[in-house]
Amino acid sequence: MGKKKVMLPADEVDLATVKYQYEKIEAPHVTGFWLKFFVKLLEAPLIGSLIISHLKKENKMIEMLRNTVIPEAPMFKPEFPPQESETEVVLLDEDGKPEERVELALKILPDYDPAKSWSADSSSPFRYWKIRDYAYAYRSKLTTPSVVAERFISAMDEFNSKKPPTPLLISYDPELIRKQAAASTRRFEEGNPLSVLDGIFMAIKDDIDCCPHPSKGGTTFFHEVRPVEEDAATVARLRSCGAILVGKANMHELGLGTTGNNPNHGTARNPHAPERYTGGSSSGPAAIVASGLCSAALGTDGGGSVRIPSSLCGVVGLKSTYGRTDMRGSICDSGTVEIIGPITSTVEDAILVYAAILGSSTADRIALRPSLPCLPNLSSNESSDILGSVRMGKYTEWFNDVFSTEISDKCEDILNRLLETYGCKTVEIVIPELHEMRTAHIVSIGSESACGLNPDFEDGKRVKFTYDTRTNLALFQSFSASDYVAAQCLRRRLMYYHTEIFKKVDVIVTPTTGMTAPVIPPAALSSGETDLQVSGNLMRFVVTANLLGFPAISVPVGYDKQGLPIGLQIIGRPWCEATVLRLAAAVEELCATPKKKPLQFYDILKGN
């Protein structure tokens, strides 16, 4: 008796009474032999369910999902109210040709000055080569895609022979790269490049189809049960723009982890500190961009999987509004929290790749009624004036809930500089029920993942999954139908709170992660690990955009005392990618120097 709780309707909650809850996840950190032993216990018929029930009770999941009356109706997919139109933007035709959208995106960027990029001054600060740098080099005959391809292949050979191993790509064929590069080189020789993305090297995460490569999802077997017959919709759009697709990038197995650990194919290393994780699950895409080997990569983001590794590796990661990009051809194509998004070294490159891949599926257009996609006109004289009207929402207690104050201090400094330079105002906000947010997200993504994987799990493939994945699936399979419905009732409550917040602010700003790149335990390389406390620190700020479908971006804003990158996250109103990108470009400009060169960096444009 006395277990039942009743929540007030969301519109009756007094925000003045909301108290931030500092959360410590109660779960063991195990690796090596003890991880294997722990998984055996979890999968044992009686003791496993007792362990899972205990963990859920300790983390207040049972109290929230089964003992609480939630008055809101379930919201099984994000439902967005109509949004005000953004100003000083350029509309894109999602039914048009990808290369035409990219051409339009190119026109809204600030003027390109090759002198700044091609300075002979060896003392110039480090910067990544942008897509426009490659395009200029190709057009000016300073190099060709075929020459760059040979440098890329040589660099990959060096990466693959490193000690410790640095596996960036799971599937990789040098001859396919040479063939694509030769075709691109011919187009430049004939004066007919397909777009500014022609000849640009890009990697595709291993859970997105890219013919003729298999999609293993980081496993050893998934390509056997799910053969690839054609490119994913987003990959086909990049290919039509002339991008050189180098192969399938490494990832945390099936996207069910935040570190990037992968005992199957080897764990990708952070280019800034090879003894540390890249973050995940899009570990290979972030690492290959941060290493300078690719200008861009595609990742998937269901729980920060584009933004977390982008933050930890010091690059840019864009998550668009749920439904903005077509998920056809990805392993996670039927969930309610995932998107496909670009990882790039700069915001302008994210704009160019985003312009190419955007376009909702027919089903999402009917269900979500997306507004027309648009981009910020960064070449306009009014762009800076518009920044002055941007209101940035900040929940200070949440913002400061980080492993080290170096993270919140760096992010706070950027907010102050945005105010000083552009007049962007920070507005204090309160976001209720963040613990409930995390619970609703894990139940949603976990139940949807388990639904897709159960047939193979029960068909004798259980032992082929990593121990880390099996640990997660043991939890996910314990969620009931009523748990899932309760999570969707929470989704509607949380959508109400954020809809009200977005009436007062244009974006919500947070650190991207609650910690910088964690150290890789040696035993985790061969057997994996489960460390939900680290996952909690990495996911603390990102799940809002996934559960509620909002656009968000991670932009690098500096480094901690150990030289590890720190990212700022900008979360926008639904369908308002232009506002997010405009503010991200301003942040990037303020953080232009000094930029730290990764320890593992290859200059494939000019050659090392």
Side-chain angles (χ1 to χ4, degrees):
M1 297 292 292
K3 289 184 178 180
K4 178 180 174 180
K5 294 175 62 178
V6 179
M7 302 179 89
L8 282 174
D11 60 0
E12 295 180 17
V13 172
D14 181 1
L15 297 185
T17 66
V18 172
K19 303 295 183 185
Y20 182 74
Q21 295 179 319
Y22 292 90
E23 187 173 42
K24 187 178 189 307
I25 296 175
E26 299 294 339
H29 172 207
V30 287
T31 188
F33 165 79
W34 292 110
L35 175 59
K36 298 176 185 178
F37 182 67
F38 184 60
V39 169
K40 284 194 175 295
L41 292 178
L42 286 180
E43 293 178 348
L46 179 60
I47 194 169
S49 60
L50 291 174
I51 293 171
I52 291 292
S53 293
H54 174 74
L55 291 173
K56 288 162 70 175
K57 184 176 181 181
E58 287 295 299
N59 289 285
K60 300 182 180 179
M61 296 182 76
I62 291 175
E63 174 188 325
M64 185 68 260
L65 297 169
R66 301 188 181 178
N67 300 338
T68 302
V69 177
I70 307 168
E72 283 72 25
M75 178 187 288
F76 291 103
K77 275 189 174 183
E79 298 171 10
F80 305 127
Q83 302 296 316
E84 293 180 13
S85 298
E86 298 172 281
T87 56
E88 203 57 37
V89 297
V90 173
L91 297 176
L92 300 176
D93 180 6
E94 61 180 330
D95 292 321
K97 293 181 178 180
E99 53 269 40
E100 292 176 351
R101 291 197 298 270
V102 170
E103 182 64 28
L104 193 55
L106 190 61
K107 293 177 180 177
I108 61 94
L109 298 178
D111 289 340
Y112 175 71
D113 181 3
K116 291 182 179 179
S117 302
W118 295 87
S119 170
D121 183 2
S122 59
S123 65
S124 297
F126 169 75
R127 61 181 290 279
Y128 283 102
W129 294 112
K130 299 186 294 187
I131 286 172
R132 288 199 284 179
D133 294 325
Y134 281 87
Y136 173 81
Y138 295 155
R139 288 196 311 271
S140 304
K141 299 184 172 20
L142 296 171
T143 190
T144 69
S146 289
V147 170
V148 175
E150 294 305 321
R151 291 174 183 159
F152 176 89
I153 292 165
S154 176
M156 284 301 303
D157 290 342
E158 187 174 334
F159 255 89
N160 292 335
S161 62
K162 276 185 178 294
K163 301 295 181 188
T166 308
L168 298 175
L169 297 175
I170 287 175
S171 180
Y172 160 69
D173 184 343
E175 291 310 311
L176 281 176
I177 294 172
R178 289 187 174 106
K179 183 178 179 181
Q180 294 175 80
S184 179
T185 298
R186 283 195 299 273
R187 290 193 291 270
F188 276 100
E189 289 173 347
E190 295 166 359
N192 295 311
L194 296 174
S195 76
V196 74
L197 300 184
D198 206 334
I200 302 302
F201 287 66
M202 300 191 192
I204 307 299
K205 188 179 179 183
D206 195 38
D207 61 353
I208 306 170
D209 293 345
C210 178
C211 274
H213 299 281
S215 289
K216 299 179 181 180
T219 70
T220 58
F221 72 92
F222 215 72
H223 59 297
E224 299 169 1
V225 299
R226 184 187 173 280
V228 173
E229 297 176 354
E230 61 182 1
D231 286 336
T234 48
V235 173
R237 290 165 186 167
L238 289 177
R239 203 184 289 276
S240 72
C241 292
I244 296 175
L245 308 175
V246 301
K248 303 302 291 298
N250 205 346
M251 62 179 289
H252 205 117
E253 186 180 70
L254 295 168
L256 301 182
T258 58
T259 61
N261 179 280
N262 190 316
N264 296 324
H265 303 282
T267 296
R269 305 291 183 130
N270 194 311
H272 290 270
E275 75 281 4
R276 293 178 180 268
Y277 281 122
T278 58
S281 62
S282 304
S283 52
I288 205 166
V289 171
S291 298
L293 291 169
C294 286
S295 297
L298 289 191
T300 51
D301 191 319
S305 290
V306 160
R307 289 160 289 151
I308 291 170
S310 295
S311 178
L312 269 51
C313 291
V315 291
V316 175
L318 174 65
K319 179 211 170 287
S320 55
T321 306
Y322 176 79
R324 180 64 91 190
T325 53
D326 194 333
M327 295 295 292
R328 284 177 301 158
S330 67
I331 290 175
C332 52
D333 62 356
S334 57
T336 66
V337 295
E338 295 93 348
I339 61 92
I340 293 174
I343 295 176
T344 60
S345 60
T346 65
V347 173
E348 76 165 54
D349 287 356
I351 289 173
L352 293 171
V353 178
Y354 168 64
I357 67 172
L358 66 80
S360 304
S361 67
T362 302
D364 281 338
R365 290 192 205 187
I366 294 170
L368 301 173
R369 301 187 301 279
S371 59
L372 287 174
C374 57
L375 297 174
N377 189 353
L378 300 180
S379 64
S380 165
N381 294 328
E382 283 75 40
S383 188
S384 294
D385 295 336
I386 291 170
L387 282 169
S389 66
V390 171
R391 300 160 299 170
M392 303 182 296
K394 177 191 171 198
Y395 186 11
T396 296
E397 288 182 281
W398 187 36
F399 190 98
N400 292 335
D401 187 7
V402 290
F403 193 74
S404 165
T405 56
E406 292 178 80
I407 297 171
S408 52
D409 288 347
K410 282 285 183 187
C411 293
E412 181 74 39
D413 178 59
I414 289 301
L415 301 188
N416 291 334
R417 291 169 67 185
L418 285 168
L419 174 62
E420 294 166 4
T421 307
Y422 300 105
C424 304
K425 293 180 177 61
T426 300
V427 178
E428 185 63 30
I429 59 173
V430 173
I431 306 176
E433 301 172 16
L434 287 170
H435 172 71
E436 288 79 358
M437 172 89 71
R438 289 184 280 270
T439 298
H441 175 265
I442 193 66
V443 172
S444 298
I445 192 172
S447 299
E448 291 160 12
S449 297
C451 180
L453 295 173
N454 275 343
D456 297 307
F457 195 77
E458 300 297 334
D459 191 35
K461 302 290 193 303
R462 174 187 306 208
V463 296
K464 294 188 177 184
F465 291 104
T466 62
Y467 292 106
D468 178 23
T469 298
R470 289 162 67 178
T471 301
N472 287 323
L473 285 174
L475 172 63
F476 298 164
Q477 290 169 335
S478 75
F479 297 141
S480 67
S482 64
D483 292 338
Y484 186 76
V485 173
Q488 308 321 303
C489 294
L490 289 173
R491 193 191 315 231
R492 188 174 295 279
R493 281 180 74 83
L494 292 157
M495 184 67 84
Y496 171 82
Y497 294 137
H498 284 77
T499 299
E500 292 301 301
I501 288 168
F502 278 125
K503 291 177 182 177
K504 303 171 185 175
V505 301
D506 301 294
V507 298
I508 297 170
V509 287
T510 71
T512 305
T513 60
M515 67 185 299
T516 50
V519 172
I520 305 172
L525 293 171
S526 58
S527 59
E529 70 170 325
T530 177
D531 190 343
L532 294 183
Q533 189 59 57
V534 164
S535 292
N537 285 330
L538 292 175
M539 295 179 71
R540 179 163 295 125
F541 304 105
V542 295
V543 298
T544 298
N546 294 107
L547 184 69
L548 304 182
F550 300 144
I553 195 168
S554 178
V555 192
V557 292
Y559 308 88
D560 67 9
K561 291 176 182 176
Q562 295 174 290
L564 301 173
I566 294 169
L568 175 77
Q569 178 181 226
I570 303 165
I571 305 171
R573 292 181 286 127
W575 313 121
C576 292
E577 285 84 0
T579 298
V580 169
L581 290 165
R582 189 190 306 277
L583 188 58
V587 169
E588 182 178 70
E589 187 174 350
L590 291 174
C591 299
T593 56
K595 215 170 184 66
K596 176 176 165 284
K597 184 177 180 179
L599 295 175
Q600 294 182 343
F601 176 79
Y602 286 79
D603 187 343
I604 64 166
L605 181 54
K606 283 189 171 181
N608 272 349

